[in-house]
Amino acid sequence: MSERLTVLITNDDGINGIGLKILAQELSEVADVYVLAPDSNRSAVSNHFSLSGPVTIKKVESEINGTFYSCSGYPVDCVITALSSDLFGGVKFDAVFSGINNGANLGTDDIYSGTVSAARQAVLYNVPGIAMSLERLPGRDFDEDFIPLARFAAENIRELIALSKDGLLVSLNALALENSDHYSGVEGASLCIRDYCDRVHVIDAPDGNKYGFINGGDVKTYGEGRTDYAVTRENKIALSLLPAELQTVEFKGAEFKL
């Protein structure tokens, strides 16, 4: 029998996120689970982490088998703390799972996502990182929506960890299933492009200052071929491998005056 794995779970929805709890429940069946997650929602914080002061870490009671802590910082703070301190008594993690995020992280979303950034930070620390995100249908709010994707991760935990190598993190995206308890397949996917159609409304306030309010519009999604967006529309899990480090592109033909 294979040796039992040890995994860290975090997210950006916060320690009380349903997706995190269901993922922890499913993974606890096949691995030793340690959780360190933000104490409240930290969505869209990207790779933000705390430099100006300490973070507060508190033990959290849970009915799920595992060790649970909350953190006053951000998802990346959670990963750095878990991998670079003795909080968990020197445990060596086989992987970091981030999620399951309540909402898609498709294409351009990956730049802003705290969920994806936590997995990225794990890879930067030479630990496999897997980000998981679930898009739910408008008006649908069932905890059970997260179970099929969480169960997929538990049943394929070693395969997913094996994919996060050579500086790559794994990003999984799926739609919530309406009439089934399992997905029709898994497909490697390229990234779509997301246009958030943001507008900033600036007002003049009585105190003499101007205040800007970001108003998000309807998201427009572009991209040809087998993008993560296209794959998830077919009730499949979109699997994308993303480089943790920034990549350079060679430029040609430019002439500069010196």
Side-chain angles (χ1 to χ4, degrees):
M1 181 179 293
S2 298
E3 184 177 351
R4 192 171 171 88
L5 297 171
T6 302
V7 299
L8 172 71
I9 301 177
T10 190
N11 70 352
D12 71 3
D13 290 331
I15 189 70
N16 293 315
I18 299 301
L20 179 142
K21 292 180 178 179
I22 292 177
L23 179 61
Q25 179 64 64
E26 294 294 331
L27 290 185
S28 70
E29 299 294 328
V30 297
D32 294 330
V33 166
Y34 294 80
V35 175
L36 180 58
D39 58 13
S40 59
N41 191 295
R42 299 287 193 275
S43 294
V45 296
S46 192
N47 279 79
H48 190 122
F49 63 98
S50 302
L51 284 176
S52 59
V55 294
T56 301
I57 300 167
K58 295 182 179 181
K59 186 74 179 291
V60 176
E61 298 300 322
S62 176
E63 297 179 353
I64 302 169
N65 290 330
T67 303
F68 287 68
Y69 283 91
S70 69
C71 173
S72 64
Y74 302 89
V76 167
D77 283 319
C78 295
V79 175
I80 292 174
T81 300
L83 301 185
S84 303
S85 75
D86 60 358
L87 174 65
F88 294 119
V91 168
K92 301 297 182 183
F93 292 102
D94 294 297
V96 172
F97 280 78
S98 183
I100 298 171
N101 189 64
N102 184 16
N105 279 309
L106 300 167
T108 314
D109 299 340
D110 294 330
I111 298 171
Y112 306 103
S113 168
T115 301
V116 174
S117 294
R120 179 182 297 115
Q121 188 64 44
V123 174
L124 292 176
Y125 275 36
N126 297 312
V127 175
I130 297 94
M132 302 178 62
S133 305
L134 183 78
E135 181 179 352
R136 296 202 277 179
L137 299 175
R140 183 180 173 97
D141 187 24
F142 301 118
D143 294 354
E144 294 78 9
D145 285 346
F146 293 95
I147 293 176
L149 188 58
R151 191 162 292 162
F152 167 82
E155 293 175 348
N156 296 278
I157 186 170
R158 292 182 183 274
E159 290 78 7
L160 292 171
I161 291 173
L163 287 173
S164 182
K165 60 182 181 179
D166 300 327
L168 298 175
L169 66 95
V170 177
S171 179
L172 300 177
N173 272 280
L175 278 176
L177 297 171
E178 285 191 276
N179 303 308
S180 177
D181 61 359
H182 66 277
Y183 290 92
S184 61
V186 183
E187 186 173 338
S190 59
L191 299 183
C192 65
I193 297 173
R194 306 269 269 178
D195 180 356
Y196 307 104
C197 301
D198 294 329
R199 298 284 297 174
V200 179
H201 178 56
V202 178
I203 65 170
D204 292 304
D207 62 5
N209 293 319
K210 293 181 183 292
Y211 293 90
F213 298 86
I214 297 178
N215 298 314
D218 293 330
V219 179
K220 297 180 180 179
T221 304
Y222 307 92
E224 298 180 356
R226 303 303 290 168
T227 65
D228 44 9
Y229 179 83
V231 170
T232 57
R233 301 310 107 172
E234 300 175 0
N235 283 336
K236 294 180 179 179
I237 298 171
L239 190 158
S240 303
L241 298 178
L242 312 178
E245 294 281 6
L246 294 175
Q247 306 291 303
T248 59
V249 176
E250 182 181 1
F251 67 88
K252 297 180 179 180
E255 296 184 1
F256 300 98
K257 297 177 181 178
L258 300 173

